[in-house]
Amino acid sequence: MNFDEYNIRLQEIIKKLENNDVSVEEGTKLYEEGVEIAKKCYETLKTNKGKVIILKEELEKLSNFADED
Amino acid sequence: MLKTLSVSELSGYITSIFEAEELLQNIKVYGEVSGLSLVRGNLYFNLKDENSIMSCIMFGVSSNLIKEGDQILATGSMRYYSKGGKLNFYVSSAVPYGSGILYQKFLELKNKLELEGLFDNKNKKPLPEKINTIGVITSKTGAVLHDIQTVSHRRNPCLNIIVYPAKVQGTGAESTIIDGLKYFDKQKDIDVVIIARGGGSIEDLQPFNTEILAREIVKISKPVISAVGHETDFTICDFASSIRAATPSEGAELVAFNLFEKLDKINISLDKLNYLAFHLFDSKQEKMENLISNMTSLVIQNQKDNKNKFYQNIEKLKSLSKVLFLNKEHNLELYKNKLILLNPTETLNRGWVRLSVNNKLVSSVKKIKKNDDVFIELKDGTISAIVKDFKEKI
């Protein structure tokens, strides 16, 4: 699943939890799944943000190099 | 013997000759207006025809009285201006006298070439996206070339400018301009040609108003920018060229893209890219965090609801069990009362007796015989007796 698909799953979990018929066990299980998804989302964000930061630095180096010319 | 005169004496003599000559006083002259300029409310211009030209001055008038190229009938007198050493026609009044021949010719040529389709868009060549080298046809001296070089190098210091020195006024000008066009057409590295000249009268601009130049501009393979005269001057060269620049400086601006502006644009784009990349993360994270917090509060609510349901059930159970015991107690009391009522001792208390024979309770006379030993229990004691007689209820 990618980030957006994870979010869709989170929405589904919320929809289920909004239903009053969910049992405590079921609710906890859904919540557990939601937290797992959140973990994965944070990991994805961290990894991709890191990549962009590295790319940005590369870009800055390139433009500094061009300025020296 | 030769007479020796001072300049003033000679000037005075000439002045008097012109003043005395009636034929030159208060006369009417017609011709075409050119070289018009307004200085402190005085109009200076030339009146001319095909072969001759005459300097004219008109005092205290507004600029829109006559215009360049007008054919006018001027009334005035010839006078010699000794301080300037010049013979002028001092105009007292002027009225239109047909339209200017040069201007008329210009219009006729323009209409002719327009009808022919020479000025059509299909004949205009687009400017290349990358312009590295330009060819400039202009006078080697004068401010125009300097302006073009300054403006273009300020914008793009890498632009190559090759100049074809040309005559831009007077006899032979047209052919040097055409030679320039032909020369640049053959140079492979020339991307655009600029024909440039500063402002001037319609006579000055005459070389740029010819049919042969117009056709040559259209003929060559490179785009031509016409940067002739001031913003208000229009020439045939302007119409035939791919682009008309209002001034030579504007011509330079058209071919020299602003290198620094482009660099700035790239930097702005990069900043935007960086911002958007991080903004994307932030917005995605925010959206996800909203969902998570929504989910958390829902789970907590769900657990609360379930707990409440549980408590409600406990309460229900409690109240139900209470009712249950209450019923049982009530029944028990009923039974107890019943039992009390059924207790034989209670019967004795109420005055009844219990009779038994041989330790067996007797409730019917049928079980009794005469002289039976009977045992009678009362509330507070017992009696032993012998049956004397008995009678059955009928």
Side-chain angles (χ1 to χ4, degrees), chain A residues 3-4 7 10-11 13-14 17-18 20 22-24 27-28 30-31 34-35 38 41-42 45 48-49 52-53 56 59, chain B residues 267 270 273-274 277-278 280-282 284-285 287-292 294-299 302-303 305-307 309:
Chain A
F3 196 91
D4 289 335
N7 273 350
L10 277 179
Q11 279 166 344
I13 288 172
I14 285 167
L17 284 172
E18 276 168 344
N20 279 331
V22 174
S23 71
V24 174
T28 308
L30 285 168
Y31 189 63
V35 172
C41 283
Y42 276 119
L45 276 175
N48 284 285
K49 219 171 178 175
V52 170
I53 288 170
K56 193 190 162 198
L59 195 66
Chain B
N267 283 333
L270 286 179
L273 177 74
N274 282 331
F278 288 104
L280 175 79
F281 288 128
D282 290 347
K284 291 262 177 192
Q285 186 170 344
K287 198 178 159 193
M288 181 201 70
E289 280 172 347
N290 281 339
L291 287 171
I292 295 289
N294 199 354
M295 183 185 73
T296 304
S297 53
L298 276 169
V299 163
N302 175 273
Q303 284 179 347
D305 289 351
N306 275 308
K307 202 164 94 183
K309 253 188 235 167

Side-chain angles (χ1 to χ4, degrees), chain B residues 292-341:
Chain B
I292 295 289
S293 88
N294 199 354
M295 183 185 73
T296 304
S297 53
L298 276 169
V299 163
I300 291 167
Q301 190 56 44
N302 175 273
Q303 284 179 347
K304 253 189 208 164
D305 289 351
N306 275 308
K307 202 164 94 183
N308 285 342
K309 253 188 235 167
F310 167 70
Y311 284 149
Q312 277 169 9
N313 286 335
I314 292 287
E315 285 306 311
K316 235 182 230 172
L317 200 66
K318 269 189 193 165
S319 62
L320 277 173
S321 65
K322 244 185 219 166
V323 172
L324 193 74
F325 286 119
L326 221 67
N327 282 343
K328 296 280 182 219
E329 271 171 18
H330 182 67
N331 286 346
L332 203 66
E333 194 66 26
L334 282 177
Y335 293 144
K336 196 182 109 191
N337 290 340
K338 245 182 205 168
L339 277 173
I340 288 167
L341 283 175

Side-chain angles (χ1 to χ4, degrees), chain B residues 31-38 43-48 53 62-72 98-107 169 197 199-206 209 230 232-234:
Chain B
E32 188 187 320
V33 176
S34 75
L36 187 74
S37 70
L38 180 77
L43 273 178
Y44 298 87
F45 59 98
N46 297 319
L47 265 186
K48 55 170 200 170
I53 194 157
S62 65
S63 60
N64 57 6
L65 181 76
I66 53 174
K67 61 180 188 298
E68 193 73 19
D70 275 359
Q71 197 77 16
I72 60 164
S99 56
I101 290 166
L102 282 176
Y103 188 66
Q104 192 60 40
K105 277 187 179 164
F106 162 77
L107 286 180
Q169 190 171 334
R197 200 218 115 101
S201 67
I202 192 161
E203 297 78 41
D204 294 341
L205 300 178
Q206 197 48 36
N209 280 328
H230 295 306
T232 47
D233 300 329
F234 277 89

Side-chain angles (χ1 to χ4, degrees), chain B residues 126-301:
Chain B
L127 289 184
E129 267 190 34
K130 264 181 89 179
I131 299 173
N132 295 320
T133 307
I134 61 165
V136 181
I137 302 171
T138 191
S139 166
K140 208 174 173 185
T141 55
V144 171
L145 183 59
H146 179 256
D147 283 355
I148 290 176
Q149 281 169 331
T150 314
V151 172
S152 54
H153 282 155
R154 193 175 59 216
R155 291 165 65 88
N156 179 10
C158 306
L159 185 76
N160 297 316
I161 302 174
I162 298 176
V163 182
Y164 189 95
K167 259 189 95 176
V168 291
Q169 190 171 334
T171 324
E174 180 194 47
S175 64
T176 62
I177 296 164
I178 289 169
D179 289 347
L181 282 171
K182 283 180 175 160
Y183 171 77
F184 283 136
D185 195 27
K186 283 185 207 144
Q187 309 302 312
K188 272 190 182 158
D189 51 349
I190 297 286
D191 299 310
V192 183
V193 178
I194 300 181
I195 300 175
R197 200 218 115 101
S201 67
I202 192 161
E203 297 78 41
D204 294 341
L205 300 178
Q206 197 48 36
F208 301 89
N209 280 328
T210 67
E211 186 172 347
I212 185 162
L213 177 67
R215 294 198 186 281
E216 195 58 38
I217 288 169
V218 173
K219 206 170 117 187
I220 70 160
S221 59
K222 315 216 182 238
V224 174
I225 295 176
S226 169
V228 176
H230 295 306
E231 207 161 343
T232 47
D233 300 329
F234 277 89
T235 61
I236 295 294
C237 178
D238 289 336
F239 296 107
S241 295
S242 298
I243 297 174
R244 176 201 182 236
T247 59
S249 298
E250 198 192 293
E253 278 174 20
L254 285 170
V255 291
F257 68 87
N258 197 325
L259 190 70
F260 305 103
E261 224 168 61
K262 229 172 201 183
L263 283 175
D264 282 349
K265 262 186 198 162
I266 291 170
N267 283 333
I268 289 167
S269 298
L270 286 179
D271 286 348
K272 218 174 186 177
L273 177 74
N274 282 331
Y275 169 76
L276 285 174
F278 288 104
H279 179 74
L280 175 79
F281 288 128
D282 290 347
S283 70
K284 291 262 177 192
Q285 186 170 344
E286 198 187 328
K287 198 178 159 193
M288 181 201 70
E289 280 172 347
N290 281 339
L291 287 171
I292 295 289
S293 88
N294 199 354
M295 183 185 73
T296 304
S297 53
L298 276 169
V299 163
I300 291 167
Q301 190 56 44

